Structures are given as C-alpha cells and as structure tokens.
C-alpha cells in the first residue's frame, strides 16, 4: 500500500499503521480514509497529501 505525505507539515500516513488515535484501523489505504479525515499533526485536508 502506498504511503502519503502531508505537503504542509511532512507527516507520513502509513496505511500499515493507520491512525488509531483518530479511529483509523491499521491496514486502511489512504483512498479509504473518510472524506473529513485531516492530518493528525497539522489539520490539513486529504487534498494536501501526495503519494511518496
């Protein structure tokens, strides 16, 4: 699965880890994140992320 980087703060969303603090289970691909999911570091929207 592809990892995605926040272009604002550099946070890397790793689907193998998910975002458990915000209710995203490990194994969740970036494309399956809820539309209202935001970067846990800076609050940027999903469209501020790019594939790395």
């Amino acid at each position: 699965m592809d990892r995605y980087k926040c272009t604002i703060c550099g946070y890397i969303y790793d689907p193998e880890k998910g975002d458990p603090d915000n209710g995203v289970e490990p194994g969740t691909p970036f494309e399956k994140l809820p539309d209202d999911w935001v970067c846990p570091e800076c609050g940027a929207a999903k469209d501020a992320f790019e594939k790395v």
Side-chain angles (χ1 to χ4, degrees):
M1 285 187 271
D2 295 320
R3 297 180 340 157
Y4 284 77
K5 177 180 176 183
C6 178
T7 59
I8 307 298
C9 73
Y11 170 82
I12 302 286
Y13 175 76
D14 184 346
E16 291 184 13
K17 296 179 183 175
D19 183 12
D21 292 342
N22 292 298
V24 178
E25 295 292 321
T28 304
F30 186 81
E31 295 80 6
K32 298 284 186 182
L33 291 173
D35 290 337
D36 61 350
W37 181 85
V38 295
C39 176
E41 295 291 321
C42 73
K46 280 176 64 177
D47 62 3
F49 282 72
E50 62 185 14
K51 190 187 303 188
V52 291

